[in-house]
Amino acid sequence: MTGATTFTAGYLFADATLSTGARTPQVPRHAATLQLAQQKGGTTFGLQSRWSSRQFDDDRNQFPLRSAFATDLFASRSVAHNLEVIVAVENLFNARVEASATPVITLAQPRAARVGVRYTLKR
């Protein structure tokens, strides 16, 4: 059985400013996502990447956060009716992603693995 391959891309432009003219905190001006997924039988494998441009952590735009790029890897498998097992590695290359900077730089989650189950209620 041949599987289905999907490629998804997204881009967001946000010209978000406050009444003072400063950029809105925690809102990047540009953000993009790419995802490539392959589904074969009851299994799905995928790779996705996320990018965001520089943004600010505060309403006075004194604490900039660097642009960020992270890649995730995931797989899911149907194991029963409406039940799926999921395995994922987020931030696969352990990219440095700044989460806050007021005033000390705090980093977002480093590389992390997760395993879970998903049950879908269908009518």
Side-chain angles (χ1 to χ4, degrees):
M1 175 180 194
T2 304
T5 300
T6 57
F7 177 76
T8 308
Y11 172 75
L12 173 69
F13 173 76
D15 191 20
T17 57
L18 304 173
S19 60
T20 61
R23 306 260 328 130
T24 303
Q26 297 285 338
V27 178
R29 189 174 186 102
H30 306 278
T33 59
L34 294 173
Q35 183 182 74
L36 180 64
Q38 171 73 39
Q39 185 174 22
K40 195 168 190 175
T43 305
T44 301
F45 295 98
L47 182 70
Q48 67 184 19
S49 292
R50 300 168 276 122
W51 171 80
S52 66
S53 64
R54 185 181 81 149
Q55 55 191 298
F56 293 95
D57 191 34
D58 65 301
D59 61 351
R60 299 175 97 193
N61 294 173
Q62 293 179 332
F63 300 106
L65 301 173
R66 293 181 187 173
S67 63
F69 181 83
T71 301
D72 308 323
L73 185 66
F74 64 91
S76 65
R77 172 111 179 123
S78 180
V79 293
H81 184 67
N82 297 348
L83 187 64
E84 202 174 1
V85 173
I86 303 157
V87 176
V89 177
E90 297 172 353
N91 196 358
L92 183 64
F93 302 112
N94 205 26
R96 177 189 164 105
V97 177
E98 295 179 356
S100 71
T102 49
V104 176
I105 299 291
T106 302
L107 299 179
Q109 175 177 290
R111 180 183 311 118
R114 63 182 168 88
V115 176
V117 293
R118 179 183 341 198
Y119 181 76
T120 307
L121 296 174
K122 293 184 181 177
R123 295 182 187 244

